[in-house]
Structure formats: structure tokens, C-alpha cells
Amino acid sequence: MQGNPEMLTSVGACVAHIVERAGGELRVAAPLGLGKPNVLLNALYRRVAGDAALRLDIYTALSLARPQPKSDLERRFVEPFLARHFGEDYPDLLYVAAQKAGTLPANVRIHEFYVQSGAMLGVESAQRDYASMNYTHVARDLVDRDINVIVQLIAAREEAGRIRYSLACNPDVTADLLDRMRDAGAARPYVVGIVHPDLPFVGNEAEVEADFFDALLFDQANRHTLFALPRAPIDPVEYAIGLHASALVRDGGTLQIGIGALSDAIVHALLLRQRDNAAYGAALAAVGAQTGAGTLAARIGGLDGFATGLYGASEMVMDGFMHLAEAGILRRRVYDDYALEQALEDGSIEDTLHAHAADALYACGALGPYIDKAEFARLLRFGLLPEGAQLAFTTLLLPDGSSLPLDLGNAEARTQWNRVLAGRRLREGRYLRGAFYLGSKAFYAWLRGLDGAAFDGLSMTRVSDINQLYGGRESLDALQRRDARFFNTCMMATLLGAATSDALADGQVISGVGGQYNFVAMAHALTDGRSVLLLRATREHAGRTESNILWNYGHTTIPRHLRDIYVTEYGVADLRGKSDEDCILAMLAIADARFQDGLAAQAKAAGKLRRDFAIPAAWRANTGENLMAALKRGELSAHFPAYPFGSDFDETELRLLPALTRLKALSAKKSEMAFFLLRAFTSSPPVADAEMLLARLNLHRPATLAEKLMRRLVLAALADADKN
């Protein structure tokens, strides 16, 4: 650690300090996602772009950018929403705009290991400078880049005249990188913490002392609106995937989920499982989930509510964990003490100690046999002793004046301890650990409102602690992460079990590997862990429906030898330990019916599927129409609204969205669009509140031919949406 950090009060002064410290070659590391100090990065970018004698290399990931409309109609809808959601003060990253425009200066390069999904397709500089690496390897690999500056958005809070600092949303890589550079004998980078007054503060491992930083920047210019993800809708396909996946979660287990509609669908299904178990069972039956005796759900998952609750150990902490915590599902706490954790796992004790806790803890080796200084400190840390207890020469003195024997080797001594331990609640327990957080405005408000046990139980920590078992505490991690279910999303999967999640066949990067490989590998390393990859069975591409289950593909993220469980809207495929033919059969069973014959033919041609195999009649029911009908049946539809967690759109925008979504889909299908256009001009069914809806798009008084055409199309699409 360093001495007292420099206290800076302006972004300009901070830029001057950075350039002075780093010289002409700025090799800047910045956290992924929310932890980027956009205002400072933009100032650095301007400084270097205006001086050819300087060079700037930024090493980061997930450079968040507001969505950009792709058509005039999208612009009319999106721009007012973005202005409201992000405010007028949100500072977009200048280097992202320059990358997309192809105007990045020659003396600036951006190196990312994970990009916003699909944002950099066709952007040559971003594709060339992308670095494919596991999240856990970033700190190691950046040592060789000779990083000389680290900039990070941080949180601060003042208590009793002292300012506390937290890495908050991104403790993921920074500390690991500093440790790695120190161990390698590399020069320490100039570490700048940029205080954002509204960034939610997180304690525990995310909290650092002021001398962690070389400089702290306090400038109100950094108090801009935080990047918040708009809450997304969930469609029937996603709901079905979430339902199938949720039955694989075991009460008392561990949960890792990512971001997006599929993760939201899992969370919604788990909430339904807890709150209305009868409706949950009916929904599972409606989507054809296999839940009887001997099925995968029966063997590794569960259908009942959560009596013990789940522990969250996830690379990313997002809205879903908030909902699970509020529902009392995310409540199993883990303790960084192997003996205590083992006692909890085998049922010897619970978080609140029972009347014979001393006997139980002694019997399993979690207490005594003799209380020395180390054991005394341990008992205080985890709440087995009250604050104010003191270790004397021959006894343990309690605050009320009574004492306890130090030797627990006889029954009478343990009886005295039983009386003291009874009713005490363990502390230092964590119900959720993550490496970074990112979510909605509601999620940030929840984080800010955490206090007491809810605040203490959340731990943001190093990615090296979350995404792998290595690091000297493998046995404890494995015990804490018992019955782990690692849910991740992929784009495509092969019949033999390989997954494509981050790039296309030609190498174009869609997103990045991130932690997906780590979690898949961890699932295989844990005795009772399982990796579950989620994907939609089909996708729309260039106006055509294509299968996301393929025979093979030109890029692989997860190799087939790590195949485990796949889930589509049509069911679950358990591939672990199966032969190639059995894997093919399992994947065919969850593929869309339209593509099963072609896939089976390819497998037969390769000699991987017996020649006389015929698609079973039950698999032919894997159609979107059947799925839609199943979830809309009877009372079930009420449990699957488009926005189960609320929406950031107002009522007018929610009315418009289905119509605009339909028009966007039609734009990729020329023949259907032509027919729709003809209908728009030849019939005009009434639309409730039409003028109000059109005014939101500034189409209530069309002035040009294009606007008149657009108005007609919107009205026709609204009429269709009203009918559905």
C-alpha cells in the first residue's frame, strides 16, 4: 500500500497528473461495465487525440453504450426514451463512437476481452484489437502489457468523520492485477479512484483503505446518471426455457446466472415455484417438462418451494438476485470456515444455534477441544461468543461476569457452553458473492437500501475467487458451492454437445468468453455441480427461421468434451458422460420439429446415428405454435406477463412496442411487408387512442410522403396488436 493519496478536485487536474506520471505512453486499465469513469476516460481521450506525441492504449471490457436506432421509426421511439432513462447528463464513451465511425485516431487503441453483445460486428478496429481470454486470466495477462495507469469508478460514504471507500461495482480484477504486478516485480501503476456519489456502496471484500489509491478524484462532473439497463420483456419461448431450467435447481444449493431475458425467465420460474407451487407444476406440465421419478429434475433438481434457500455465487450480480433475495429464496448463508460450513452442511447446526450446539460442534470438530487465542478470535468472528468476551489465563470471561472453561473435553464443560451458545446466530455469513454488478435503476436503489444483515451478507470480491476453485481454498469453496447450478446462455449448439457463445464462424466477435468456460469447467470439477447452457431452438436471420442446434459450426466456445446439460424451450438434454449417439438423440429431442429430419440425416451421414432411426412422433410436437398455446391456456397466461418485473417504458410506449416489433420483423421479409403495406392502405380498422400514440412518434401531423407512409404502417400494426 502507498501513503496518503493525492486528493484531486477536477478532471483536468487528474488528466495532467496521469500524463505526467505515465509519460507519453499511457497504458490504461479500466474495469468492465459500470466501473468505468466515463468522464475521465473521455478527457484522457481528448487529450491524447489532440496530441500526436502521446499514445493511449485502453485495456478493458464491456464498454457500455446506449442503443442506437437503426431506422427513422426506431429513432422516433428510442430517442425520447433514452433521454428520460439516461438523463441529459450521461457521458457516452467517445472512443466507442469513434470506433463505430471508423475515426479512432492512430495513436489510440482499445483492447477489450468482452464487448457489448453484437455491438462491434463489422467494426474492424474493435475486431482486430479484441483479446480472447477467460475473465480469470485478465489480471495475469495484463501484467505483460506493462499497465501504468488504473482508473476506476468507486463509492464512498462518510461515517463518524471518516470516509470509507469501496470498489463497489467492480472489485473483480483491480486488486488481482496489482498483486500480480507486484509479484512479477513490475512497477506499480498509478491508481486513480474516481468517486461517484451515487454509486451503491458495498462492504466486505470490496471495501479498501484510502491508501489503496495513489489519487482520489472528487469532482461533481462525475455525478452523472449511472448506466442502468432497461428492464426487458420475456417472451413465451424464454418463459419455457426458464421453466425447464428452474426444475434443475436443488433447494439448499448454489446459483449462478448471467444477464438477459433467459436468466430473468429462470428467476421468474423460481419465484413461481416458491409463491404458487400449484401454478408452477401446471406450467411445467404445459411446456412438457419431464419431472417424474427417475427424470433429471427428480435426480438433481426439485419442484417444491425452498425451505433451506439458495446461495448465490455468480460472476455478475444483477436484478434477478434482488428478486430472489426479496422473496426469501436467496438466503442460505455460507461461512469462510470449513468446520462450521461442514457442520451446517451435515445438519449438525443451523445459522441460529440450538440448545445442544456445543456438543454438536465439539463432536464434528468445529469447536475446541481447547480455546486458545486463535480459537477465541475465530469464535468471536463468527458470532459464537458475545462482543466483550475476554480470554483469561484459565477461563473465558463473558460480559455478564460469568465464565466458561477453556477445555471442552468433558460433558460438564460443554453443558456450560451449550447454555451460552443456545440462540446465538452465526455472523460473517454471505448469501451472495459476485465479481461485478450491473442492472436496472430499481436494482441500484435496492443496493443503496441494504442495511444490517442484508448489507453484511452481500460480498463483491475478486473474479479469481468467484469464477474458479483455485487459490488455496478449494475444499471450502466446493463445500460452500454445493449442488451448484451454473446457468449460462449460448447462441448455438451442435448435436455432439459443443457450444458457440461468443463469436461467428468467420471469427467476428459477438461478445466474449467472459466466465462461461470457467463455470462449465467448475461444474465438472465439483462433485455435485452441473453446467446448464440455455439457448432458443431457432433464430430469425435475414427473414428466415434457422435452427440454433446444428450438426457442426466453424467456431466453438465450449468444447464437446465438456458437454453437460442443454435447455431449449422444448426440454432438457443431459449429455454428461453419454455416447455420441446418445448425445445426438438427446439434442434432437429438444430441437425444433422443422429441423429434426435434416439434422438426423447429417448425423447418419457421418456414421454417428443408426441408419434405421426415425424421429419419434412426440418430438414432432416441438413447434412454436404448440408452445404458445400451452402457456396461454386457461389461468396460466396470467402468470407469464410480458414484463414480470416491471418496465421502464411508460404506458404509451408499452402500447407501441408490439406494433413496432412487428414492423421490424416484417422489414426483413420483403414479400410479407409488401402484403402488409397493401393492407395498410386498403383497410384502416380503428385504433384506440390513435392520435396519442402517433403523437409519441411525432406522426400525428405527417408532413412528408415518408411520414404519411410510416403513419399508415404504424396504425395497421397497432390494429394487429390490439387484435392479439
Side-chain angles (χ1 to χ4, degrees):
M1 295 298 179
Q2 308 302 295
N4 292 330
E6 298 175 274
M7 297 294 180
L8 306 175
T9 57
S10 79
V11 170
C14 190
V15 169
H17 276 67
I18 289 172
V19 173
E20 179 184 353
R21 292 296 190 97
E25 300 280 337
L26 284 76
R27 295 176 295 278
V28 179
L32 63 74
L34 190 61
K36 285 186 185 58
N38 289 20
V39 173
L40 179 60
L41 285 171
N42 285 347
L44 276 173
Y45 176 84
R46 290 191 193 95
R47 175 74 174 83
V48 174
D51 187 347
L54 298 176
R55 178 177 177 83
L56 173 63
D57 286 83
I58 297 177
Y59 297 86
T60 189
L62 195 58
S63 294
L64 297 168
R66 291 183 284 184
Q68 297 299 311
K70 296 180 174 61
S71 68
D72 183 37
L73 186 56
E74 275 191 31
R75 178 189 61 77
R76 291 166 182 266
F77 179 82
V78 167
E79 285 185 351
F81 169 75
L82 294 180
R84 184 179 75 244
H85 187 74
F86 289 95
E88 299 296 336
D89 64 342
Y90 181 77
D92 285 306
L93 287 162
L94 296 177
Y95 69 75
V96 172
Q99 278 183 306
K100 292 184 176 182
T103 58
L104 205 63
N107 60 340
V108 177
R109 290 181 69 186
I110 311 299
H111 313 266
E112 297 199 78
F113 70 88
Y114 197 100
V115 299
Q116 200 166 351
S117 185
M120 292 300 172
L121 278 174
V123 180
E124 292 190 3
S125 66
Q127 293 291 333
R128 290 195 304 268
D129 287 333
Y130 169 80
S132 183
M133 62 180 78
N134 287 341
Y135 199 176
T136 51
H137 296 159
V138 172
R140 178 200 69 187
D141 294 346
L142 286 186
V143 172
D144 294 333
R145 302 297 180 269
D146 195 21
I147 300 298
N148 55 19
V149 179
I150 297 175
V151 295
Q152 176 157 352
L153 212 63
I154 64 171
R157 62 167 50 168
E158 187 172 355
E159 292 181 357
R162 171 179 171 262
I163 299 180
R164 297 168 59 188
Y165 298 96
S166 171
L167 299 179
C169 55
N170 285 88
D172 44 357
V173 174
T174 306
D176 276 338
L177 175 57
L178 290 172
D179 288 350
R180 289 271 192 172
M181 294 188 75
R182 180 200 61 214
D183 294 344
R188 175 184 162 88
Y190 185 59
V191 183
V192 184
I194 297 87
V195 175
H196 192 300
D198 300 325
L199 187 66
F201 187 101
V202 179
N204 298 320
E205 292 88 341
E207 190 165 352
V208 295
E209 296 298 326
D211 61 5
F212 181 88
F213 306 98
D214 297 288
L216 286 164
L217 174 60
F218 298 84
D219 185 340
Q220 286 299 309
N222 295 301
R223 191 172 197 165
H224 54 76
T225 303
L226 291 170
F227 191 100
L229 299 169
R231 288 169 290 184
I234 303 177
D235 68 26
V237 166
E238 292 154 349
Y239 269 129
I241 293 172
L243 283 164
H244 287 296
S246 68
L248 305 177
V249 178
R250 176 171 286 175
D251 186 22
T254 304
L255 184 66
Q256 182 265 327
I257 49 177
I259 196 167
L262 293 182
S263 294
D264 289 345
I266 294 175
V267 170
H268 180 75
L270 292 173
L271 293 172
L272 188 62
R273 174 174 159 182
Q274 178 81 347
R275 293 168 172 169
D276 191 338
N277 200 251
Y280 175 70
L284 285 174
V287 299
Q290 302 298 307
T291 58
T295 63
L296 191 62
R299 286 188 287 111
I300 74 166
L303 305 179
D304 296 329
F306 295 90
T308 301
L310 302 176
Y311 163 59
S314 190
E315 170 185 288
M316 180 179 182
V317 173
M318 31 57 86
D319 288 52
F321 288 110
M322 168 183 70
H323 298 304
L324 293 172
E326 290 180 330
I329 295 173
L330 194 71
R331 69 173 185 273
R332 179 171 75 84
R333 291 178 181 254
V334 303
Y335 301 86
D336 287 342
D337 182 282
Y338 187 86
L340 280 179
E341 193 63 34
Q342 184 66 60
L344 287 161
E345 193 274 338
D346 64 24
S348 297
I349 61 168
E350 295 180 352
D351 295 272
T352 299
L353 301 176
H354 54 65
H356 302 286
D359 288 321
L361 289 167
Y362 180 84
C364 67
L367 177 65
Y370 188 83
I371 310 302
D372 57 15
K373 286 184 179 180
E375 181 71 352
F376 174 69
R378 170 177 170 266
L379 297 179
L380 277 177
R381 177 189 174 190
F382 292 107
L384 280 80
L385 289 173
E387 292 292 337
Q390 297 180 15
L391 185 64
F393 185 65
T394 58
T395 61
L396 195 155
L397 302 176
L398 298 175
D400 64 1
S402 62
S403 64
L404 289 172
L406 301 181
D407 188 346
L408 280 77
N410 63 80
E412 175 55 32
R414 293 194 296 276
T415 297
Q416 295 180 56
W417 276 80
N418 279 333
R419 288 195 291 268
V420 172
L421 295 185
R424 293 198 63 80
R425 184 166 181 83
L426 296 177
R427 67 183 183 197
E428 290 284 311
R430 312 286 184 242
Y431 61 88
L432 175 59
R433 278 197 171 108
F436 75 99
Y437 67 67
L438 178 65
S440 69
K441 291 181 178 181
F443 173 64
Y444 299 153
W446 176 75
L447 287 173
R448 292 188 197 99
L450 292 178
D451 58 10
F455 177 83
D456 294 335
L458 169 62
S459 169
M460 301 301 299
T461 188
R462 303 176 185 218
V463 71
S464 58
D465 289 341
I466 290 294
N467 285 31
Q468 60 185 8
L469 294 174
Y470 314 117
R473 45 175 281 165
E474 291 85 346
S475 297
L476 177 59
D477 281 345
L479 188 57
Q480 291 177 341
R481 300 175 194 185
R482 51 189 174 270
D483 287 314
R485 300 293 176 262
F486 302 112
F487 291 102
N488 289 282
T489 301
C490 63
M491 299 187 299
M492 291 170 278
T494 71
L495 288 181
L496 294 174
T500 299
S501 308
D502 66 312
L504 301 178
D506 63 359
Q508 283 275 311
V509 175
I510 299 291
S511 54
V513 178
Q516 185 171 121
Y517 181 90
N518 290 125
F519 286 115
V520 172
M522 198 190 313
H524 286 275
L526 291 168
T527 302
D528 47 15
R530 298 304 296 263
S531 161
V532 186
L533 293 181
L534 316 169
L535 75 159
R536 300 174 70 111
T538 63
R539 67 184 182 277
E540 296 298 315
H541 177 66
R544 295 186 306 164
T545 301
E546 298 180 355
S547 178
N548 283 329
I549 296 178
L550 311 169
W551 171 241
N552 56 22
Y553 192 69
H555 172 78
T556 293
T557 310
I558 304 300
R560 68 176 181 148
H561 69 268
L562 288 178
R563 59 198 182 196
D564 200 344
I565 297 173
Y566 282 94
V567 177
T568 74
E569 61 267 37
Y570 301 122
V572 178
D574 181 10
L575 309 187
R576 182 179 283 195
K578 302 288 180 64
S579 68
D580 279 359
E581 183 173 52
D582 285 343
C583 286
I584 291 167
L585 293 172
M587 293 298 284
L588 283 173
I590 64 170
D592 189 280
R594 291 168 289 183
F595 302 98
Q596 291 167 351
D597 289 320
L599 289 168
Q602 288 178 288
K604 289 177 181 179
K608 289 287 189 175
L609 183 62
R610 59 186 181 273
R611 296 287 180 179
D612 62 350
F613 172 78
I615 301 292
W619 299 2
R620 301 290 189 188
N622 290 0
T623 68
E625 293 76 14
N626 287 341
L627 187 66
M628 295 286 187
L631 287 179
K632 289 183 177 180
R633 191 176 303 142
E635 297 179 356
L636 272 183
S637 60
H639 293 288
F640 300 100
Y643 289 88
F645 304 121
S647 174
D648 296 294
F649 297 112
D650 62 28
E651 290 301 318
T652 300
E653 290 161 346
L654 288 172
R655 283 280 311 277
L656 285 166
L657 269 170
L660 299 184
T661 301
R662 172 149 169 71
L663 288 176
K664 185 174 181 178
L666 284 170
S667 67
K669 303 176 180 180
K670 293 182 180 179
S671 59
E672 291 186 33
M673 176 54 98
F675 178 77
F676 185 81
L677 186 61
L678 178 63
R679 184 159 60 85
F681 273 89
T682 56
S683 64
S684 54
V687 173
D689 302 318
E691 288 306 307
M692 177 191 71
L693 297 171
L694 291 168
R696 171 59 180 79
L697 300 173
N698 199 21
L699 290 173
H700 54 308
R701 294 190 184 95
T704 67
L705 181 60
E707 288 182 341
K708 292 175 181 177
L709 172 61
M710 208 181 300
R711 175 190 170 98
R712 285 272 191 171
L713 289 171
V714 169
L715 283 172
L718 283 168
D720 282 359
D722 286 348
K723 285 188 290 187
N724 295 326

